[in-house]
Amino acid sequence: MDASNNAVDKDLQIKRNRRAVIWVVVLALIVDQATKILVKTNMLIGNDNAINILPWFKICFIENNGMAFGMEIGGKLFLSLFRIAAIGLIVYLINRLVKSNRFPRGFLVCLAFLVAGATGNILDSMFYGLIFTESGIHAGGVSKLVDFGYGYAPFLYGKVVDMLYFPLWRWPDFIPFIGGRIFFRPVFNIADCCITCSVFSLLLFYRQSLSAAFAMIETESVRRKIKKDKSEENNSGI
């Protein structure tokens, strides 16, 4: 009877963890895409058109071809394919961790935010070039929705929309090279926030869970290899 109850409790816990992961990804993606579309279809691109919310916070619409915070590493196609591969790997990892029922829900939620952030930015690259006109080059300067496939760029070559800018403070003028510059200059988006908060949370609070997760995946890989080798030996013996 106890074994049966434990099995039921385990299945219930797995379902709850899976729902938590799904809800985090879905809600984060909705917020990310809603803010990007709202900004892209209502604001002019560029620093001169920023909306001042607070002295240290502005809504500033820019676009970039790169990764988080506007960094550019490698070509656009490489970045898009890299994101897709990374998302697939993390989704596979989360699925294995949820099924194992050995990891805290907070750890799984952090990984879910990582998936949401990476997916949010890859959606820009995949579809924005297909469904929007390019910002700032036509009458009015604001991007418009167009029929699918008639946008400014082909599949996987769309630009990522950023809008959150926090010019917290400037370096003192007497400091060489950086004097007078903004301390934190990147403009970013909700997806970038999800990725950054997830990574910091994993490193600060879930390092042991992260190590255990990689150890579990590595152990499973070794077991599959051993099983495959034994199967090949048996087949060769026949």
Side-chain angles (χ1 to χ4, degrees):
M1 191 67 177
D2 291 339
S4 177
N5 290 336
N6 289 336
V8 172
D9 290 341
K10 180 180 179 181
D11 290 341
L12 183 60
Q13 184 69 20
I14 290 174
K15 290 179 180 179
R16 287 175 176 172
N17 288 338
R18 183 175 285 114
R19 282 198 297 266
V21 168
I22 292 173
W23 274 111
V24 166
V25 173
V26 170
L27 292 177
L29 282 176
I30 290 174
V31 174
D32 175 66
Q33 291 300 305
T35 53
K36 288 175 177 176
I37 293 173
L38 184 64
V39 166
K40 186 171 179 64
T41 57
N42 288 277
M43 287 187 64
L44 295 172
I45 195 168
N47 294 332
D48 295 336
N49 302 303
I51 300 174
N52 297 320
I53 307 298
L54 294 169
W56 45 267
F57 173 43
K58 300 180 180 181
I59 301 297
C60 177
F61 172 33
I62 67 167
E63 294 178 312
N64 70 80
N65 293 320
M67 301 181 76
F69 304 114
M71 295 184 295
E72 296 194 10
I73 305 174
K76 177 65 178 179
L77 181 60
F78 168 79
L79 289 173
S80 297
L81 295 176
F82 173 80
R83 288 195 187 109
I84 293 173
I87 292 168
L89 179 61
I90 300 171
V91 168
Y92 168 78
L93 177 62
I94 293 176
N95 185 54
R96 299 303 303 164
L97 299 181
V98 170
K99 286 183 177 180
S100 72
N101 199 35
R102 292 164 44 192
F103 295 88
R105 186 173 300 170
F107 175 64
L108 301 175
V109 166
C110 286
L111 294 178
F113 273 114
L114 196 60
V115 170
T119 303
N121 283 335
I122 193 59
L123 288 177
D124 296 26
S125 298
M126 292 172 68
F127 299 114
Y128 278 25
L130 298 173
I131 63 175
F132 288 112
T133 58
E134 188 166 0
S135 300
I137 66 170
H138 57 283
V142 177
S143 181
K144 307 290 185 182
L145 275 169
V146 295
D147 292 337
F148 190 85
Y150 288 88
Y152 66 87
F155 183 65
L156 290 178
Y157 281 86
K159 296 179 181 179
V160 177
V161 175
D162 293 326
M163 79 293 294
L164 303 176
Y165 182 38
F166 290 87
L168 300 177
W169 57 281
R170 294 179 180 273
W171 292 101
D173 292 334
F174 61 83
I175 299 179
F177 305 111
I178 60 174
R181 293 186 179 183
I182 298 295
F183 167 68
F184 186 73
R185 301 179 65 184
V187 181
F188 52 101
N189 55 44
I190 299 298
D192 296 333
C193 293
C194 290
I195 294 172
T196 304
C197 292
S198 173
V199 170
F200 275 106
S201 296
L202 288 171
L203 295 177
L204 289 174
F205 306 113
Y206 294 107
R207 282 179 292 181
Q208 291 184 348
S209 295
L210 196 60
S211 299
F214 284 117
M216 187 190 81
I217 297 300
E218 183 179 1
T219 301
E220 290 184 353
S221 299
V222 171
R223 288 176 179 173
R224 283 196 297 268
K225 186 177 185 303
I226 293 174
K227 184 177 180 180
K228 180 181 178 181
D229 291 342
K230 287 183 178 180
S231 177
E232 291 176 351
E233 289 177 2
N234 295 332
N235 292 333
S236 62
I238 294 174

